[in-house]
Amino acid sequence: MKHLIAPSLLSADFLDLRKEVEMINKSGADWLHLDIMDGVFVPNISFGFPVLNALKPICQKPMDVHLMIVEPQKFIPEVAATGAYMMNVHYEACTHLHRTVAAIKETGMKAGVTLNPHAPICLLEDIIQDVDMVLLMSVNPGFAGQRFIEHSVDKVVRLREMIDRKGLNTWIEVDGGVNLETGKRLVDAGADVLVAGNFVFKSPDPMQTIKDLKAL
Ligand code: DX5
Ligand code: ZN
């Protein structure tokens, strides 16, 4: 499939979120990526459900929610109530990942499992058949604007091999340090969805930047 683009709101102008979301609505973006952090799982705190609920009536793109929090299973109803399309939980944050994935899907949301940069692809061997998407972190989660970790391209290749070997159609999303150069290599390696924060929102013409990422 043609790859999708999910701009990350973490790099948007928080004083003018309405304008930023309206720009995303008009753009060629496929999803809006929303990063929720708790200051425990990652060394930063971003925004939470009140902000997502405020965006709900104006956001016309499917919301791709990335929970960088401990015990994400506690918040499945809250995420579902925001109207989210996809709920991504970290492998490293879930003791009973199989149960959590099933509970996410029971709400009607799609379920994504996220791997930190150090976590090997083989960890997914016995859960991948149950998830809609794998989100590979190509930076250590917590902050926008970090440098892309090169090894991530190889992880995409190996994840693509696993998905093909099992005859699945699980999507591969990559998050962190995505620009035109890294994005091209990720798409060539088999990525289906690219998240981009700083590269979109800090660019002089975000709508054009989204178009450029989409054209890779
Ligand atoms: C990082 C977040 C990312 C972040 C990406 O912890 O999960 O979604 O916003 O930002 P960039 O694209 O600037 O690396
Ligand atoms: Zn993210």
Side-chain angles (χ1 to χ4, degrees):
M1 83 181 191
K2 175 75 184 156
H3 65 275
L4 307 181
I5 303 301
S8 165
L9 196 73
L10 190 60
S11 299
D13 177 0
F14 286 1
L15 282 179
D16 220 339
L17 280 184
R18 181 187 291 275
K19 192 192 79 197
E20 298 282 51
V21 171
E22 284 169 356
M23 180 277 290
I24 293 295
N25 286 343
K26 275 189 265 153
S27 78
D30 298 281
W31 299 347
L32 180 62
H33 185 83
L34 296 146
D35 290 300
I36 298 187
M37 306 179 188
D38 66 355
V40 179
F41 183 72
V42 288
N44 197 8
I45 296 176
S46 54
F47 47 77
F49 304 117
V51 172
L52 267 60
N53 284 320
L55 299 178
K56 183 179 178 182
I58 63 164
C59 183
Q60 295 164 4
K61 305 281 177 171
M63 293 201 284
D64 175 35
V65 179
H66 176 194
L67 291 161
M68 283 160 276
I69 66 173
V70 297
E71 303 193 276
Q73 74 280 359
K74 286 185 178 168
F75 296 98
I76 294 170
E78 283 81 356
V79 177
T82 70
Y85 172 69
M86 174 79 70
M87 175 168 169
N88 298 286
V89 296
H90 270 259
Y91 180 95
E92 303 85 1
C94 296
T95 308
H96 301 288
L97 183 59
H98 184 272
R99 179 186 289 151
T100 300
V101 164
I104 293 170
K105 294 205 299 197
E106 263 167 40
T107 69
M109 291 187 290
K110 298 210 177 291
V113 168
T114 310
L115 287 189
N116 271 332
H118 72 275
I121 294 298
C122 61
L123 290 174
L124 299 167
E125 191 71 48
D126 294 294
I127 190 68
I128 194 154
Q129 69 283 350
D130 294 312
V131 305
D132 297 293
M133 187 169 84
V134 175
L135 169 51
L136 293 180
M137 291 309 302
S138 43
V139 297
N140 285 294
F143 303 91
Q146 301 182 80
R147 190 166 1 138
F148 182 76
I149 297 171
E150 281 299 319
H151 184 62
S152 314
V153 179
D154 182 56
K155 283 181 82 170
V156 173
V157 170
R158 284 181 290 114
L159 178 55
R160 174 56 61 203
E161 278 168 11
M162 178 189 282
I163 291 168
D164 291 348
R165 165 166 55 84
K166 290 174 179 281
L168 301 169
N169 47 23
T170 323
W171 296 328
I172 303 175
E173 182 175 47
V174 188
D175 183 6
V178 168
N179 55 36
L180 292 181
E181 188 267 326
T182 56
K184 171 86 178 105
R185 287 191 287 138
L186 291 167
V187 168
D188 289 347
D192 300 296
V193 190
L194 300 178
V195 176
N198 269 20
F199 189 65
V200 166
F201 284 99
K202 307 294 186 212
S203 74
D205 185 347
M207 284 187 52
Q208 183 58 46
T209 303
I210 292 167
K211 208 185 246 182
D212 294 343
L213 284 166
K214 190 76 190 164
L216 286 176

